[in-house]
């Protein structure tokens, strides 16, 4: 009899303990893949406009599409490039989370693996699920890095320059057409795009063409966003980030817009504009010290990727 009573007591204590644990313990956290609605990230880098001709322009006359799309997105007004204000270094900072003093001629790979390489490794996805699609052939180096543990591994697909002439740049319209084709055929989860026309006309000292290129790339943002929302694999689950590799020399100098590459305000102050299911809408962020290397971390956060080499941070202020 005593054994029976003892058994009943032990069973009762076990039940109480189970109930207590069920009531008071925190549920397991959601898997990282369920943390956000975003399943795809597209980073569009518009090469080399100054803020004085975009978001800081008179009545923002050159960027009407961004102004309209801000109702669906978020803009950081004090975003900075705190590294080298050149093309290859700026793009490298955006996707690796590290300011890297690499050559600007396309002859040197980034030192560290990109968020695309990390994502491909951690998800074991096919390389066709991450793409680098760029108007400047020298930016094809963005699909690889010098790190001995990563060099030649987990490389995203690349589409750069002119077909049959890899040493040439191409018009942005070709890059956008190729982007649409890749989206339709490969359905990648990560894409980095470079549009070069603004920078090219700036270096050629063609002011009217430079301004027109800014207006055209503004139209391209809407075109790309609308196209993504028309695709079943992307509608409602894709984040589009728009930024720059660098700005241009500040006003006050004759033909200042022609060049870039130093630490002037015009070269360092760049754009960050984004739309996606996990970001705030109709929001302008002026707080926080957000900068170029934070883009990679924010992309990684959305897709559940770890970036051990990165020096950046997640831009928490732009999330809902």
């Amino acid at each position: 009899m005593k054994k029976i009573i003892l058994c009943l007591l032990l069973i009762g204590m076990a039940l109480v303990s189970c109930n207590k644990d069920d009531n008071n313990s925190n549920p397991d956290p959601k898997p990282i893949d369920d943390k956000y609605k975003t399943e795809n990230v597209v980073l569009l880098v518009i090469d080399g406009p100054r803020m004085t001709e975009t978001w800081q322009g008179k009545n923002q006359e050159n960027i009407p599409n961004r102004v309209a799309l801000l109702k669906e997105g978020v803009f950081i007004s004090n975003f900075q490039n705190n590294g080298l204000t050149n093309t290859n270094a700026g793009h490298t900072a955006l996707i690796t989370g590290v300011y890297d003093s690499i050559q600007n001629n396309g002859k040197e790979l980034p030192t560290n693996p990109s968020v695309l390489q990390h994502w491909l490794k951690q998800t074991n996805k096919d390389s066709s699920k991450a793409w680098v699609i760029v108007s400047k052939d020298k930016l094809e180096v963005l699909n690889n890095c010098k790190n001995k543990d990563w060099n030649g591994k987990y490389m995203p697909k690349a589409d750069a320059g002119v077909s049959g002439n890899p040493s040439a740049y191409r018009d942005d319209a070709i890059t956008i057409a190729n982007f649409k084709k890749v989206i339709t055929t490969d359905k990648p989860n990560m894409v980095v795009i470079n549009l070069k026309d603004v920078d090219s006309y700036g270096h050629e000292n063609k002011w009217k063409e430079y301004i027109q290129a800014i207006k055209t790339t503004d139209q391209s943002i809407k075109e790309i966003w609308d196209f993504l929302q028309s695709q079943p694999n992307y509608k409602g689950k894709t984040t589009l980030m728009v930024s720059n590799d660098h700005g241009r020399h500040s006003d006050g100098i004759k033909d200042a817009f022609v060049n870039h590459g130093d630490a002037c305000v015009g070269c360092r102050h760049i754009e960050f504009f984004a739309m996606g299911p996990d970001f705030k809408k109709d929001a302008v962020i002026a707080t926080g010290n957000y900068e170029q290397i934070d883009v990679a971390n924010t992309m990684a956060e959305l897709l559940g990727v770890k970036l051990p080499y990165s020096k950046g941070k997640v831009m928490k202020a732009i999330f809902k």
Side-chain angles (χ1 to χ4, degrees):
M1 187 68 179
K2 289 182 179 179
K3 289 183 179 180
I4 294 173
I5 294 173
L6 180 60
C7 287
L8 290 172
L9 286 172
L10 290 173
I11 292 170
M13 290 173 65
L15 289 171
V16 170
S17 176
C18 288
N19 289 336
K20 183 178 180 180
D21 289 343
D22 289 344
N23 290 334
N24 295 336
S25 64
N26 292 324
D28 291 334
K30 288 184 177 180
I32 191 69
D33 291 342
D34 295 335
K35 189 176 182 181
Y36 300 110
K37 294 179 180 179
T38 295
E39 297 178 12
N40 317 289
V41 177
V42 176
L43 172 62
L44 171 60
V45 186
I46 299 176
D47 204 317
R50 283 188 306 195
M51 292 290 285
T52 48
E53 283 80 63
T54 56
W55 290 93
Q56 292 181 335
K58 183 180 179 181
N59 301 319
Q60 299 173 325
E61 70 276 15
N62 297 325
I63 58 165
N65 292 288
R66 289 181 182 79
V67 172
L69 287 170
L70 184 58
K71 294 177 181 178
E72 301 179 48
V74 57
F75 169 65
I76 299 178
S77 63
N78 58 343
F79 199 70
Q80 299 285 319
N81 172 348
N82 290 321
L84 293 180
T85 56
N86 290 319
T87 296
N88 281 45
H91 282 79
T92 295
L94 286 165
I95 66 171
T96 67
V98 180
Y99 290 120
D100 198 356
S101 300
I102 66 170
Q103 297 179 57
N104 198 40
N105 56 10
K107 302 297 184 182
E108 184 179 7
L109 294 173
T111 302
N112 301 285
S114 70
V115 62
L116 291 84
Q117 285 181 284
H118 280 288
W119 182 81
L120 284 170
K121 180 181 180 181
Q122 292 173 36
T123 61
N124 199 32
K125 296 279 189 179
D126 184 80
S127 60
S128 64
K129 294 302 180 182
W131 276 81
V132 172
I133 304 174
V134 289
S135 292
K136 291 185 173 182
D137 66 291
K138 68 180 184 178
L139 289 172
E140 189 170 358
V141 297
L142 297 177
N143 77 335
N144 201 0
C145 69
K146 290 185 289 189
N147 186 302
K148 64 180 182 179
D149 295 326
W150 290 81
N151 180 259
K153 301 176 182 177
Y154 315 109
M155 293 170 57
K157 295 286 187 180
D159 176 83
V162 178
S163 178
N165 187 2
S167 64
Y169 290 0
R170 68 184 177 204
D171 290 341
D172 289 341
I174 298 174
T175 297
I176 293 172
N178 289 5
F179 163 76
K180 290 181 177 180
K181 182 178 179 180
V182 166
I183 289 292
T184 304
T185 57
D186 288 1
K187 298 177 174 57
N189 300 101
M190 297 193 77
V191 183
V192 175
I193 315 172
N194 156 267
L195 298 181
K196 63 86 186 170
D197 286 354
V198 173
D199 188 63
S200 293
Y201 286 121
H203 285 305
E204 292 173 12
N205 197 11
K206 295 180 178 178
W207 175 257
K208 290 182 179 179
E209 290 84 352
Y210 163 74
I211 293 298
Q212 182 56 52
I214 290 175
K215 293 178 179 179
T216 300
T217 52
D218 180 65
Q219 294 169 359
S220 297
I221 293 172
K222 176 174 171 50
E223 180 182 353
I224 288 170
W225 180 247
D226 288 347
F227 176 75
L228 290 169
Q229 297 308 304
S230 73
Q231 303 297 304
N233 280 36
Y234 295 88
K235 180 179 175 62
K237 46 191 175 185
T238 300
T239 290
L240 173 64
M241 300 183 183
V242 181
S243 194
N244 315 126
D245 47 352
H246 55 76
R248 312 194 79 75
H249 287 155
S250 304
D251 286 329
I253 306 172
K254 180 177 172 56
D255 297 330
F257 81 101
V258 174
N259 290 308
H260 56 86
D262 61 21
C264 75
V265 173
C267 291
R268 291 218 180 277
H269 190 187
I270 59 174
E271 168 181 22
F272 182 86
F273 172 61
M275 297 174 287
D278 301 296
F279 289 166
K280 293 176 180 176
K281 294 186 178 183
D282 200 15
V284 176
I285 307 295
T287 57
N289 297 315
Y290 293 123
E291 57 183 306
Q292 210 168 41
I293 56 174
D294 299 335
V295 172
N297 289 69
T298 304
M299 294 171 70
E301 171 72 10
L302 287 168
L303 295 180
V305 179
K306 296 180 180 179
L307 295 181
Y309 299 95
S310 176
K311 305 298 183 184
K313 58 187 176 295
V314 176
M315 295 184 282
K316 295 182 179 179
I318 67 177
F319 285 76
K320 290 180 180 178

